Amino acid sequence: MNWSPQIEALCAQLAERYVFPEVGTEVAEILRKRLNAGAYDEIAGDEAFAAAVTEDLQSVNGDKHLRLIYSIDEVPVDDPVDAALYRAEISLSGYGFARVECLPGNIGYIDTTTFCLPELAGDRAVAAMTLVADTDALVFDVRRNLGGSPGMVALICSYLFGFDEPTHLNSIYWRATGENHQSWTLPYVPGPRFGPDKPIYVLTGPLTFSGAEEFAYNLQTRERATIVGERTRGGANPGTRYRVGPHLKSAVPSGRAVNPVRGDNWEGVGVAPDIETTAEDAFGRAYGLALRHVLTLGEDGARRAVAAEAREALAAF
């Protein structure tokens, strides 16, 4: 099959948009050489073609955001991101919040799968953060969170710091403008904040990616949370989708994260945990630490029942 139109469309997108121009040029040369050598000739379907091309796209610098995506549904000409499909998908998946509860011992727990756009899911985030606002410690699970919106990351982080002084969380350098777009905590959020002082444990694993890595790194570099689990996947170059064919769209990163504390990011290396354990064991490790913290808060009055719950939960480990 002749894949030349798709390869040329992809090469043009790399040249115009990829955050590292010299890498984009090198990757485009590889794609053209592979095409001319007949590497794609025997590939009959879009799905297999996307997989083969993605491997070549990532062969230079291992950028896991850079890929060719097969779409079962036809890719809209005027909306490669497919906003309607995105809205439908997040509405059927809890808007990225898989589980939110107060665990025995007054420990908050939030399990997330993605960080949706705050303009679509902000009210869900407010509800989640309101539920855990009065807990004594928070376990925030991003072990299966594949990333998402920096705006949602900033909104949730705003509940975890004080309101008196905004905190610079992250910056994204965009190739198109040459500017850094800064992300800060918000001076006002609906509902109560969890606040700047109580312990937070962020659970990570090898699936944790992109915006979820930013969330962990924001809190780690500001010494606001303890990261528990495994090193994350390592993707710090955001971008968007572009149409390549009726059932093909590219993901071309056009920006890169810049942490304001360390001046670096997690691209290719991931976020290293403060407490290293398997992703499977991360919850138990963090929950145990949170329960032990609760037992330092005393047992007078209303705290008597909470301390009893904490001791009982610890005994179950």
Side-chain angles (χ1 to χ4, degrees), residues 146-172:
L146 301 181
S149 167
M152 178 60 83
V153 172
L155 174 60
I156 294 174
C157 283
S158 297
Y159 284 89
L160 307 178
F161 290 85
F163 64 87
D164 52 339
E165 185 175 347
T167 300
H168 187 185
L169 299 168
N170 187 47
S171 293
I172 297 178

Side-chain angles (χ1 to χ4, degrees), residues 101-103 106-110 131-132 135-140 194:
E101 63 179 304
C102 294
L103 300 173
N106 198 35
I107 307 300
Y109 176 70
I110 299 179
L131 181 65
V132 302
T135 56
D136 292 317
L138 176 61
V139 177
F140 204 107
F194 181 78

